[in-house]
Amino acid sequence: MSTSPKPTALTALRLGFALLAAAAVNTAIALGALALDDGGIAMGLNPASYLPATAAGLLLGTIGWFVLARRAPHALRVVVPAALVLTWVPDLLLFGAGATAANVFGLMLMHLVVTTAVVTALRPTLAPAAHPQPVATADQLQN
């Protein structure tokens, strides 16, 4: 069983910047989706909805990251994209509630932003063995 480094002050700082960046980008996405959401329900596009959800997503993603990084770091390559796709299911179900494509795709983009923020902030915490090393070609070995 490989162990990953424990969270440090640097990791906390990276997560803080990730939260600020995700909140800023999600605000821009929400404003754009609202501008295109002509006659829609605007579900989740107000700051009282998406800002706490952004923080919660970052927190849950961080917890999941550290649990997996400790037990099965290579599983992150599969679990992170799978979790992202699963977050899109409720977004897509909003079509049945009268949401417009701008609303739904805006929310889907917001989930992608949070996922990207978590991965960007926490990737440096992986143990070196978890980072795949490029395979040397025969030409490189001869030089």
Side-chain angles (χ1 to χ4, degrees):
M1 176 169 81
S2 73
T3 60
S4 63
K6 293 185 193 263
T8 63
L10 181 58
T11 301
L13 184 63
R14 280 196 307 264
L15 285 168
F17 281 123
L19 177 58
L20 290 174
V25 172
N26 280 351
T27 297
I29 291 169
L31 291 172
L34 280 170
L36 298 172
D37 191 45
D38 189 28
I41 60 174
M43 177 68 75
L45 297 178
N46 62 332
S49 296
Y50 68 79
L51 289 175
T54 297
L58 198 88
L59 177 63
L60 291 172
T62 298
I63 291 167
W65 180 279
F66 281 115
V67 168
L68 275 175
R70 178 170 291 136
R71 291 190 167 84
H74 294 293
L76 287 166
R77 291 177 181 227
V78 174
V79 173
V80 170
L84 173 61
V85 169
L86 286 175
T87 68
W88 289 341
V89 172
D91 298 337
L92 292 169
L93 293 176
L94 289 175
F95 279 125
T100 63
N103 190 162
V104 171
F105 294 127
L107 293 173
M108 292 172 80
L109 274 175
M110 291 169 137
H111 286 128
L112 177 61
V113 166
V114 172
T115 302
T116 302
V118 170
V119 171
T120 302
L122 298 180
R123 191 163 192 280
T125 65
L126 289 177
H131 292 289
Q133 299 299 320
V135 177
T137 64
D139 292 336
Q140 291 171 330
L141 292 174
Q142 290 175 351
N143 292 332

